[in-house]
Amino acid sequence: QAVIVSRMVRVFGIGEGAAEEKIRDLTEGANPTAATYAKENEMFVRITAKAATEQEAAALCEPVVREVCARLGEFVYGVDVESLEEVVVHGLQEKGLHLATAESCTGGLVAKRLTDVPGASEVFEMGAVTYSNDVKSMLPAEMLEEYGAVSEPVARAMAEGVRKKAGASLGLGITGLAGPGGGTPEKPVGLVYMALSDGTHTWVRRMDPPGRVKNRTWVRDRAAHYALDMVRRYLAGLPVEGHAV
C-alpha cells in the first residue's frame, strides 16, 4: 500500500566516480535512496522514496535532491529534465536570447539536438555546417594558413561570424577532428575547439581526446555535449569553460 516517487538530478562535466565520492553518505540511505548512473558522456543521480502517499514520498526526496545539487554544484544542469538541449532552449527563451551555430566536425549535430526540442524555433536563428576547408576559406586566408582549420582562432572566428550573419544574441562555433583519420601528433583525432560569442566576449574551450577515442560518433556526441554546456553555463551565469578574450 505504498507509493514510490523518483527524482532525477542530471549532471554533466564530472565523472560518475568523482560524483559518487561527493555524495557517498547520501547513497547509503534506505529511504530515500540515492544512486549514481552513468550515461554516454554524462550521468545522473536518482533519488527514490517510498511512503503512504505521493506527497509524502516527494517530501522525503526533496531534501536529498537539494543536498545532491548543492554538493555537485555547477555540474548539475537540471532536475527532472530530459536533456541538456532542453535546458538550453528553455534558458534562451527565459532570457529572450537567440542562438546561431557554425559547426564543422559535429556536422550539424548541435543544431539537430536543439531543434528536436519543441519551441526551439523561438530562439534558434540558423545553423551552418562548414565542413570543408573551401567553406572555411570564407575566413581570412592567413588565419587558415597560420593556424589550420582545427584551431582556437578559427573556432572563435566561426562563433563571431555566424552570430553576426544571423543577427543572433549568441554564436557558437565548433571545429575539430572526428576521425578516424586525419590526426597528427600535434592535432590528434578527438581534438576539438569550440567557441561562444555574445558580441562582447568570446570564450574558447579546447577539448582534448581523453586517452582512448572510441569512434567518430563518440567524438561528435562528446563535442556537442561540451558545446551545449558552454551555452548552458553562460545562461546560468556560471563561468564558461575556457578563457575570455
Side-chain angles (χ1 to χ4, degrees):
Q1 302 301 312
V3 175
I4 294 175
V5 169
S6 288
R7 305 288 305 280
M8 196 87 72
V9 179
R10 298 276 187 175
V11 180
F12 177 75
I14 185 173
E16 183 187 9
E20 202 274 339
E21 284 291 327
K22 291 178 178 289
I23 62 168
R24 185 179 298 278
D25 59 310
L26 301 178
T27 66
E28 296 170 352
N31 188 34
T33 61
T36 59
Y37 296 87
K39 291 182 65 182
E40 194 68 71
N41 289 313
E42 64 174 272
M43 62 157 292
F44 62 90
V45 182
R46 177 179 287 148
I47 297 96
T48 303
K50 181 171 68 174
T53 67
E54 182 176 342
Q55 291 77 13
E56 290 173 341
L60 287 173
C61 286
E62 189 57 34
V64 181
V65 171
R66 288 199 303 267
E67 186 63 22
V68 168
C69 290
R71 294 192 193 183
L72 298 184
E74 64 187 35
F75 300 114
V76 174
Y77 71 77
V79 178
D80 298 329
V81 297
E82 291 296 321
S83 63
L84 191 50
E85 51 266 31
E86 176 188 293
V87 171
V88 168
V89 168
H90 291 169
L92 290 167
Q93 290 172 332
E94 289 171 6
K95 293 188 177 297
L97 300 177
H98 295 79
L99 175 68
T101 59
E103 302 179 63
S104 178
C105 65
T106 45
L109 181 58
V110 171
K112 186 267 182 191
R113 286 177 56 174
L114 288 169
T115 54
D116 280 346
V117 179
S121 59
E122 301 172 16
V123 296
F124 185 66
E125 289 292 342
M126 66 172 282
V129 180
T130 57
Y131 213 73
S132 71
N133 275 353
D134 289 339
V135 176
K136 290 195 189 77
S137 66
M138 292 186 294
L139 302 171
E142 63 274 11
M143 181 183 293
L144 289 174
E145 292 171 3
E146 182 175 356
Y147 301 105
V150 179
S151 63
E152 178 178 316
V154 168
R156 184 188 304 124
M158 290 168 69
E160 293 169 352
V162 78
R163 189 196 69 80
K164 292 177 183 176
K165 179 73 173 178
S169 316
L170 301 172
L172 185 65
I174 309 171
T175 181
L177 291 160
T184 67
E186 294 77 23
K187 295 184 178 182
V189 169
L191 173 65
V192 179
Y193 289 94
M194 54 200 74
L196 178 68
S197 176
D198 66 359
T200 302
H201 297 289
T202 301
W203 296 265
V204 183
R205 178 183 176 88
R206 172 180 170 134
M207 188 186 85
D208 289 301
R212 184 176 68 89
V213 174
K214 293 182 180 180
N215 53 49
R216 183 178 179 85
T217 299
W218 180 80
V219 172
R220 294 169 68 165
D221 285 344
R222 184 168 181 259
H225 264 77
Y226 273 107
L228 286 167
D229 194 57
M230 286 184 77
V231 184
R232 191 269 303 183
R233 285 174 169 271
Y234 176 90
L235 295 171
L238 295 169
V240 179
E241 295 288 348
H243 59 271
V245 292

